[in-house]
Amino acid sequence: MLASLAILAGAAFAQGVFGLGFAMIATPLLALFLDYRAAVLLAAVPLLVLAGNWLVVNRHDLRHSGVSWQLLPGIVVGAVTGVWVHVALSERLSLLLLAALLAFSIALPWGLQRFRTDVSMAARRTAPLFGALAGITESALNVGAPFMVMFGELARLTRRQQLIALNLGFFFGKAVQVSLLSASAWPVSPLPLALGVMISLLFYRIGDRLAGHYPEETFRRLLAKFIGLMVLSLIARAATSS
């Protein structure tokens, strides 16, 4: 429990400082020593609370967020589909798919830097599709940020619009995921889940107070190296899982 809480605290702090990273840090680390479904839920519920907190604090910006609201239908439909995928997949396949998605997130910035064609209008018109892809991976693998970041870059959203899009995706994707999974037996008892939410919210708010004090480019480089290590670790865990 202490290791899980420490992971959630560190991931929440990063989320507070830089606006993303919680799921990509917490989910693979928890999955290395917990049952995969328990790891997903233990990270999903705190992220639902963190995203809800961000949306409440920044509620005055939501009305004028523009294209971000077009993502919602896709996010909801994708999240419902993702829960079905999550339940249907074996633990080994889930770990391998999570490793593949994390590897995609490492390659994504490199690819976007070399894609110089302006497709912002086309990307905005296909916002529901990006929302669906993010919703599926959010519910099935607990990581939906890569497709939201891809959409934000292709649609040329401002930094603020990207944060709104990310937190809308996190909140509504997690709301659907947690609601549907709660219909079955939860693999995590209430005490560690409640402690996880409280410690995550505490360290998220500490990180939020320090937002802008640390270079984001350095964080992204360190996150990419961490994710690379997690990809190899998840593949090794999958090889030994039943």
Side-chain angles (χ1 to χ4, degrees):
M1 184 185 293
L2 289 177
S4 298
L5 293 177
I7 289 169
L8 293 174
F13 179 80
Q15 180 83 13
V17 176
F18 301 104
L20 79 164
F22 182 89
M24 289 188 287
I25 294 172
T27 305
L29 276 175
L30 293 172
L32 291 181
F33 62 91
L34 295 178
D35 171 78
Y36 182 75
R37 303 206 191 308
V40 165
L41 191 62
L42 191 56
V45 176
L47 183 53
L48 172 63
V49 174
L50 299 187
N53 179 85
W54 192 95
L55 292 174
V56 169
V57 171
N58 297 277
R59 60 188 179 277
H60 298 300
D61 295 338
L62 300 181
R63 186 176 302 174
H64 307 293
S65 61
V67 74
S68 300
W69 290 105
Q70 299 174 26
L71 295 161
L72 288 185
I75 290 171
V76 173
V77 173
V80 172
T81 305
V83 170
W84 177 82
V85 173
H86 172 77
V87 173
L89 291 176
S90 66
E91 178 166 315
R92 176 177 293 174
L93 188 53
S94 295
L95 291 169
L96 290 174
L97 288 175
L98 177 58
L101 181 62
L102 291 175
F104 170 72
S105 73
I106 297 176
L108 182 60
W110 180 87
L112 289 172
Q113 286 176 0
R114 284 152 182 79
F115 188 80
R116 303 189 181 279
T117 305
D118 185 358
V119 294
S120 56
M121 294 305 297
R124 289 169 183 257
R125 286 194 296 268
T126 57
L129 174 60
F130 282 98
L133 292 171
I136 291 172
T137 56
E138 189 75 59
S139 285
L141 303 171
N142 225 39
V143 176
F147 286 106
M148 298 301 282
V149 170
M150 184 178 182
F151 168 74
E153 292 294 330
L154 293 177
R156 300 195 173 183
L157 301 186
T158 65
R159 167 70 173 165
R160 194 65 175 172
Q161 286 176 319
Q162 289 191 16
L163 286 174
I164 292 172
L166 281 166
N167 282 280
L168 285 173
F170 295 150
F171 180 78
F172 285 96
K174 290 302 172 202
V176 171
Q177 179 191 28
V178 172
S179 297
L180 293 180
L181 289 178
S182 66
S184 59
W186 282 37
V188 181
S189 60
L191 177 59
L193 201 57
L195 289 175
V197 169
M198 289 189 290
I199 200 76
S200 297
L201 190 57
L202 172 62
F203 277 83
Y204 170 80
R205 288 181 172 170
I206 293 173
D208 187 54
R209 290 178 178 272
L210 297 173
H213 287 71
Y214 300 98
E216 186 169 340
E217 188 59 36
T218 301
F219 167 73
R220 290 182 180 274
R221 286 199 300 268
L222 292 174
L223 182 61
K225 292 179 180 179
F226 167 80
I227 291 175
L229 178 62
M230 288 297 99
V231 168
L232 297 176
S233 301
L234 289 169
I235 292 173
R237 174 69 192 272
T240 60
S241 67
S242 56

